[in-house]
Amino acid sequence: MQSRTTSEGIHPRRLRPMLVRGVMICVAAVLFWSGVEHLKNPFAFLSSVIRYQLLTGLPASVVAAFLPVFQTLLAGMIVLGVARRMTSLCAAVLLTLFTAVQLSALLRGLEIGCGCFGAASNAPITGYSVSRVAALAALAWLMFRLDVDDAAPGQLPNLNVDECSKAAGRIEMPELEACP
Amino acid sequence: MRGIIVGNSFFCVHVWALVFLSAWNSTNCSRVVADDGPYCGIYAVYGAAAAVGVQCEFQTLVDPRFVSSGAGSTIGDLVSAAEHLGVRATPLTGLGLANLQESQDPLVLHVSSLGQLDAYNHWLLFLGIENGRARVTDGSGAIHPIGLAELLARWDGVALAVFKVDSPKTNFGAVETATIGWWAILVLGAIGSASWMVGKLTSSARSRARAWAVALVAGTFIVTIVREAQPAFSFLRNRECVAFIVAAEGGREFPTVSVVEMVELSKSPESAVIFDTRYNGDMAYGHIPGAIRLPIDSNQHEVAVLMQAIDHKRPIVLYCQGAGCRFSDRMAVVLTSFGYEDIRIFRDGWIGWEEFHNKSRARK
C-alpha cells in the first residue's frame, strides 16, 4: 500500500476531503444555530416569515413550523456524515433559497430584518447581508461539487478494478474516488 | 438550577451580543404608551425591584440617567436604574420559552408595542407563569395574564433579569445549555435510529441516499408534530395568536364601512360596538354618538379590562381622526389577538363624520 502522505505532511488528495468535511461542519453549525434560535420562539419566526411578504396565513405557518426542524436535522446529518452528497445538496439548495428570498426583499425595497438567527437579529437586510448568505450558499455548492464520496457507483464513470489499481499507483489520481 | 451567570462562557457570548445590540440599536420605548410617556422601562424596573422586596420612590427614577432620551430608556439606562434602587440587573439575549419557564427572577422583557410587531421598542415586566399564562405588567398598569404565545410573538428574546444583591438567581446559561443540549441529543438520537434502519433496509448506495432523503422528511414531520403537542409552541392551539401575527405583519386589510353605514350603526347601538381610537384629548373635542373610548395609547391591561364586557361575536367598528390615520388599523390588529373576528374600520373617521353632518346641515 503506497503511503498517501508526503514529506511536507498530509497529501493534497487527503487534505481535500478533510477540508470539505470541515467546511460542511461550519455550514451545519450555522444551520443548527439558526434552527435552534427559531425553535426557541416559533411565533417570532412566523412574524419574520410573513414580513417577507411572500407567504401568509397557513403556508407561512407551515414554513415556520417545519423549516427550523428541517434545518437542525439536516445539520445533524451533515455533522454525522450520513448521506453526504444528499445532505450537502440540501444545504446548498436551502441556502440558495435563503439568498433568493433576501435578495427579493432587498429588490422590493422592504425595510425588514432578516430574522436569520431569531428575533433579536433584526438588522435590516442590506447588500452585505445578502452577499453573506450568498457566499455561504456558494460555499455549500462548491462542497457539493467536491464531495463525491457518497455518490452512487452507477452515476460515476465505468471503471474496472484494474484501471483503479493503475490509477492508485500514480501520484495524480483523479479517478480514485470513483472506484467501487 | 441556580448558579452564577458570569461563570458560564457560553452565556458571556450572549451578554456581549447584547452589549453590541444595545450600542448598535438604541433600545427605547415608543410613545405608544402615552400615559406612561417614555417611562415603560423604569416602570418595569421599579416593579421588578418591588417584586424582589426592594421598595422605593418611583420619582427617583424619573431622571435623565435612567431615561436618556424622549423616546425612552436603553438597556444600559435600566441597568443603572436597577443599581440605583439597590438591586442587580443582568442583561440577557437569545432567550426563549424555556428561560421564562425556569426563571425564578422578575424579567424586564424587550417587546414590540401593542399591535406593531415589526418594532421592538417597549419594555414589559414578566413575573412568572400561572395556569399556562404569563403574568406581566405593562407600564403603570396592574399585573395581568397574557397568553405565552402572544408574549413570544412580541418578544425578541432580550431581557433584563432583576434580583436582589447577594441572593441566588436563575442560571439562564444552564437553562440555555440544557435546551440546546437536549435538542442536540434528540437530533443525534433520531439520526442514529434512522441510520440503523437505513442500514437494515437498503443495500445499494443509491437506495441508501433515497432512504436518507425519506428519513429526513419523515423525521422533520414527526418532530414538528411532537412539538405541536406542546401547547406553548403549537400554532394549531394558538390560532388567535397566529391570526394576530398575520394581521400585524401581513398588513391585513380590514373591511370598511361608509359614512352612511356609520350613521345607521350609530343609531342602533345593538348592531355593532363603535370604538374611538384617538387619544383621550382628541376625543374631548367630539366623537360619534355611542362610541367607546379605546385610545391608541391604551396598554394591554386596559384593553383586556375594556374588552371583557364585549361579546366576541359582536361586530366591532373602529375609527380615528381621518382617512390618513392608521390608529384604527393598529387597534384592529390588537383586537384580533383578543379573538375578535368581525372587525371593520370607518376609514373617513371623525373628520369624515363632521363633513357629512356639516353638508347635511347646509342642505337643510
Side-chain angles (χ1 to χ4, degrees), chain A residues 36 39-43 47 50-51 56 61 64-66 69-70 72-73 76-77 80 82-83 86 119-120 122-123 152 155, chain B residues 21 24 94 117 120 149 152 155-156 176 183 191 206 212-213 216 219-221 223-224 227 232-233 235 245-246 249-250:
Chain A
V36 167
L39 286 169
K40 282 196 278 187
N41 191 342
F43 298 96
S47 289
I50 296 172
R51 225 167 274 168
T56 189
S61 303
F66 284 89
V69 178
F70 182 81
T72 47
L73 285 178
M77 286 173 73
L80 290 180
V82 294
M86 188 272 288
N122 60 348
Q155 293 174 313
Chain B
L21 188 77
W24 162 79
L117 291 180
Y120 298 100
L152 287 175
W155 182 36
D156 66 356
E176 187 73 10
W183 189 249
I191 294 167
R206 182 174 285 186
W212 271 116
L216 178 59
T220 303
F221 190 76
V223 176
T224 306
R227 273 177 62 79
F233 285 130
F235 286 143
I245 294 168
V246 170
E249 294 291 0

Side-chain angles (χ1 to χ4, degrees), chain B residues 21-338:
Chain B
L21 188 77
S22 174
W24 162 79
N25 182 18
S26 178
T27 299
N28 51 50
C29 287
S30 72
R31 291 194 172 275
V32 169
V33 186
D35 285 346
D36 296 334
Y39 303 143
C40 60
I42 55 172
Y43 265 121
V45 170
Y46 172 75
V52 297
V54 175
Q55 301 295 332
C56 63
E57 282 286 320
F58 175 76
Q59 289 305 320
T60 63
L61 295 177
V62 184
D63 186 298
R65 285 178 296 158
F66 313 130
V67 188
S68 56
S69 78
S73 308
T74 66
I75 197 156
D77 297 342
L78 297 186
V79 171
S80 305
E83 285 168 359
H84 174 77
L85 296 180
V87 291
R88 295 276 302 279
T90 305
L92 310 161
T93 189
L95 303 187
L97 179 64
N99 303 99
L100 295 183
Q101 287 168 331
E102 294 295 325
S103 179
Q104 306 293 315
D105 311 308
L107 294 173
V108 178
L109 306 182
H110 189 226
V111 297
S112 59
S113 316
L114 209 55
Q116 268 195 317
L117 291 180
D118 58 344
Y120 298 100
N121 53 11
H122 190 54
W123 297 103
L124 276 184
L125 175 60
F126 168 80
L127 292 164
I129 297 172
E130 197 173 79
N131 300 326
R133 289 169 76 81
R135 294 170 70 238
V136 300
T137 65
D138 186 349
S140 56
I143 297 172
H144 64 280
I146 68 167
L148 284 172
E150 191 190 334
L151 182 62
L152 287 175
R154 290 179 59 192
W155 182 36
D156 66 356
V158 173
L160 193 69
V162 177
F163 46 90
K164 227 172 173 175
V165 177
D166 300 328
S167 72
K169 54 192 178 291
T170 311
N171 187 345
F172 290 98
V175 173
E176 187 73 10
T177 309
T179 306
I180 294 176
W182 277 114
W183 189 249
I185 289 167
L186 182 73
V187 167
L188 296 180
I191 294 167
S193 316
S195 179
W196 180 78
M197 283 179 67
V198 168
K200 284 272 179 199
L201 298 173
T202 59
S203 53
S204 70
R206 182 174 285 186
S207 60
R208 224 175 6 252
R210 280 187 193 151
W212 271 116
V214 171
L216 178 59
V217 173
T220 303
F221 190 76
I222 292 165
V223 176
T224 306
I225 298 297
V226 169
R227 273 177 62 79
E228 274 293 310
Q230 294 176 272
F233 285 130
S234 171
F235 286 143
L236 289 173
R237 295 189 198 191
N238 294 289
R239 288 194 193 113
E240 283 173 6
C241 182
V242 171
F244 162 60
I245 294 168
V246 170
E249 294 291 0
R252 177 179 156 188
E253 283 296 319
F254 291 90
T256 56
V257 294
S258 67
V259 67
V260 178
E261 287 169 313
M262 196 65 194
V263 169
E264 292 303 315
L265 288 171
S266 69
K267 285 176 185 167
S268 54
E270 290 306 309
S271 56
V273 186
I274 302 168
F275 286 110
D276 188 325
T277 62
R278 295 173 298 162
Y279 292 115
N280 278 330
D282 296 329
M283 203 173 166
Y285 292 105
H287 58 86
I288 294 174
I292 300 169
R293 287 182 185 203
L294 182 60
I296 188 65
D297 51 357
S298 306
N299 63 38
Q300 185 132 15
H301 178 61
E302 290 164 346
V303 179
V305 169
L306 183 66
M307 299 312 287
Q308 269 175 359
I310 312 290
D311 185 352
H312 281 73
K313 288 179 181 167
R314 283 193 74 183
I316 286 171
V317 181
L318 303 162
Y319 74 92
C320 51
Q321 191 65 13
C325 170
R326 290 280 150 185
F327 290 177
S328 311
D329 299 75
R330 271 178 46 196
M331 256 318 162
V333 169
V334 173
L335 295 187
T336 308
S337 72
F338 283 83

